[in-house]
Amino acid sequence: MSIRLAGATVVCGTRADATVRFAALELSTHLAVLTKKQSPILPAQPARGTAIILGEGRASASLPDSAAQAYRIHVERKKGRTAIRIDARASVGILYGVYELLEHLGMGFHVLGPTYPELPAPAVLDDAYACTHEPAFAVRGHMLHYNFLCGPTCWGLADYQFSFDQMARMRNNLLLMHWYDNEPGAAYQMKGAYLAGGQTPSTLSRPWGALSALRTSQFSFRTGEAFPAEIFSSPQRETCTNALDEIRQSERMFSDATAYAKAAGV
């Protein structure tokens, strides 16, 4: 017997933390894309219809105490109601279980964003479906290498949030950042004064690897038309006139980005 998940309610309890709420939003959003039907998020299981319950289940008791990233997915039928339960010892396990379920429904998660099967997808689950999984390695991630305008050197908050979304979906939990001493991310304070750090390179500063300093309108083959302004750099550099202001603005941006990452289990 198959369980149809189109329009299924996502149950996220009132005591859920930021990671579980993030998991609920991800599940609701992707189910709506898959099935073309909205999946509401509610604090309790409704009297009718299929529900996907995040956490607060007894199944986590069957997982080892040390398995913080492990999760269990199973089908539960009780009093005429059908529920798919995603249980874990820790919130990040619930998040990983959500992505496991979405992959089972045909989705794929990659660095450049998610992929979907042919839409609308049937999004059905076998009545006997059950899955228990724990990552083989406790730490999984990648490193960002700054210095090139085509990479994270020119990222702003929205770019980091997009990257952290993909990391969470791929069940990565560590990001390493490689900064050079003359870039904003390398700045640190000692006795109230900033040491190291500097301004982000731009198309006019002739960064490493560039043959010359150019305005975007001078780029070959009309590629400059893809840029919104004559000078390309990070959002922080584009709005700050000196290195100290850019360093401080970059610190605020990184603070917001890391807070977002922690909610996503990174």
Side-chain angles (χ1 to χ4, degrees), residues 138-205:
V139 177
R140 309 164 304 281
H142 60 264
M143 182 177 77
L144 296 178
H145 193 292
Y146 298 78
N147 197 32
F148 304 95
L149 299 186
C150 60
T153 295
C154 293
W155 282 8
L157 179 59
D159 302 295
Y160 281 101
Q161 290 174 331
F162 178 85
S163 180
F164 288 134
D165 282 344
Q166 312 324 310
M167 288 185 66
R169 291 164 180 167
M170 295 186 295
R171 276 80 101 196
N172 290 345
N173 58 6
L174 177 70
L175 177 67
L176 300 175
M177 296 172 156
H178 175 282
W179 288 98
Y180 288 102
D181 288 346
N182 61 339
E183 294 179 305
Y188 63 96
Q189 291 190 57
M190 181 177 292
K191 296 181 179 180
Y194 278 94
L195 302 178
Q199 288 190 283
T200 303
S202 75
T203 50
L204 284 184
S205 66

Side-chain angles (χ1 to χ4, degrees), residues 25-42:
L25 181 61
E26 283 282 87
L27 182 56
S28 173
T29 300
H30 289 305
L31 279 178
V33 175
L34 281 168
T35 66
K36 304 303 180 183
K37 291 185 177 181
Q38 296 299 313
S39 286
I41 301 174
L42 297 177

Side-chain angles (χ1 to χ4, degrees), residues 230-250:
E230 281 282 83
I231 302 172
F232 177 70
S233 185
S234 69
Q236 297 75 240
R237 173 67 186 273
E238 291 173 352
T239 57
C240 295
T241 58
N242 60 72
L244 184 57
D245 285 347
E246 184 182 347
I247 288 170
R248 288 171 173 165
Q249 184 168 319
S250 295

Side-chain angles (χ1 to χ4, degrees), residues 120 128 266:
V266 179

